[in-house]
Amino acid sequence: MERAVQRLKSGQGHNELMPQYIYALDKKIKRRVVHVIVGEWAISLVTRSKFKYKPKKHAH
Amino acid sequence: MASPHKPVLLTGTHTKVLDSAMKRGNWIVALLLAHTYSEAFLREWLLYSGNLPLETMARSIIRETERIRFEQLVLVHHLLGNIDGNLRERIYEVNKRRNEVAHRLIEYDLSDREIDTRFRGDAEKAAAVCSDVFAHFKQALDRQAEKV
């Protein structure tokens, strides 16, 4: 299965292909945990529950 | 501070925070921060480890993991194969030094650069351990993400 990967600026200061992670509330366990972004979905890596994710627009 | 309900990107910003403290010569602060970050990563990592069926993951189990003592937490990660014996020993060493400093913090004059500089080696070791813990944690997340 083709997995969606997005460009994310790494801690080393260069771009590379890697999954994008967010820290968000998992409603099933009522706790903030790591979610992976797959397409328009954010999927919890603990319970696999998911929600539609819209990236925050940063002001420059 | 981020809202508890808004998603935030997990990008390893701890390195910037630690670098900033060390560049300013705040070695005691860097040591305490590096240990705190390492512990936070290790506690979080436990949720993505092992072979527990996802449907059995419950808030009650997570609450119990939050009560595990630091030494036990490190031991569990070693038993699960998440960290090797060398990293485990380095974590213990940083933990021991951090506890010594934290419990005697009021004895130190943090405005005295000379006193702060004495902890430079400890802070650099703690930052290296923190970096290694995060790198292993990130690899574990990548493996979990592959299964999605």
Side-chain angles (χ1 to χ4, degrees):
Chain A
M1 186 179 86
E2 190 181 329
R3 190 166 55 84
V5 286
Q6 299 181 12
R7 284 191 179 275
L8 174 70
K9 197 169 188 180
S10 79
Q12 280 70 44
H14 63 276
N15 287 325
E16 56 190 68
L17 275 174
M18 55 168 65
Q20 190 176 19
Y21 299 110
I22 58 166
Y23 214 67
L25 184 73
D26 182 326
K27 286 183 179 171
K28 191 179 170 196
I29 50 176
K30 296 181 180 65
R31 188 186 192 279
R32 286 165 68 77
V33 294
V34 178
H35 289 61
V36 62
I37 306 299
V38 180
E40 60 183 354
W41 295 96
I43 303 170
S44 164
L45 291 184
V46 177
T47 66
R48 301 289 189 269
S49 62
K50 61 183 182 179
F51 65 90
K52 279 203 173 178
Y53 174 65
K54 283 182 186 170
K56 207 166 51 175
K57 284 178 185 169
H58 292 279
H60 291 287
Chain B
M1 193 179 147
S3 153
H5 301 295
K6 282 186 182 167
V8 289
L9 278 172
L10 182 74
T11 55
T13 49
H14 65 283
T15 53
K16 286 178 191 165
V17 176
L18 283 176
D19 284 350
S20 170
M22 292 196 287
K23 274 180 191 158
R24 280 184 274 116
N26 295 336
W27 301 105
I28 292 178
V29 170
L31 169 62
L32 299 178
L33 268 176
H35 181 278
T36 305
Y37 272 125
S38 299
E39 181 171 0
F41 293 140
L42 288 166
R43 288 200 184 275
E44 188 70 27
W45 188 356
L46 212 50
L47 304 181
Y48 315 93
S49 304
N51 297 309
L52 196 65
L54 295 174
E55 60 273 17
T56 64
M57 186 56 84
R59 181 84 188 115
S60 57
I61 295 173
I62 293 169
R63 274 208 198 102
E64 284 190 52
T65 66
E66 288 165 357
R67 288 201 292 266
I68 296 175
R69 286 178 51 218
F70 185 76
E71 291 82 0
Q72 294 166 337
L73 177 69
V74 177
L75 179 63
V76 169
H77 276 294
H78 189 193
L79 290 172
L80 287 170
N82 291 340
I83 59 172
D84 62 16
N86 178 270
L87 182 54
R88 180 186 160 197
E89 287 307 315
R90 287 168 60 216
I91 294 169
Y92 282 160
E93 196 183 324
V94 167
N95 178 240
K96 190 181 168 202
R97 196 69 182 119
R98 175 261 178 196
N99 288 345
E100 286 168 4
V101 172
H103 296 153
R104 299 180 63 186
L105 195 59
I106 56 169
E107 295 175 28
Y108 304 125
D109 177 3
L110 295 185
S111 64
D112 186 336
R113 288 280 173 203
E114 271 187 40
I115 290 175
D116 225 346
T117 306
R118 283 186 217 160
F119 298 95
R120 180 177 180 160
D122 296 314
E124 286 173 343
K125 273 184 198 168
V129 164
C130 181
S131 173
D132 287 353
V133 168
F134 182 74
H136 284 77
F137 172 48
K138 184 74 173 38
Q139 283 171 8
L141 291 180
D142 290 343
R143 284 194 295 273
Q144 284 293 322
E146 288 288 336
K147 296 177 191 168
V148 171

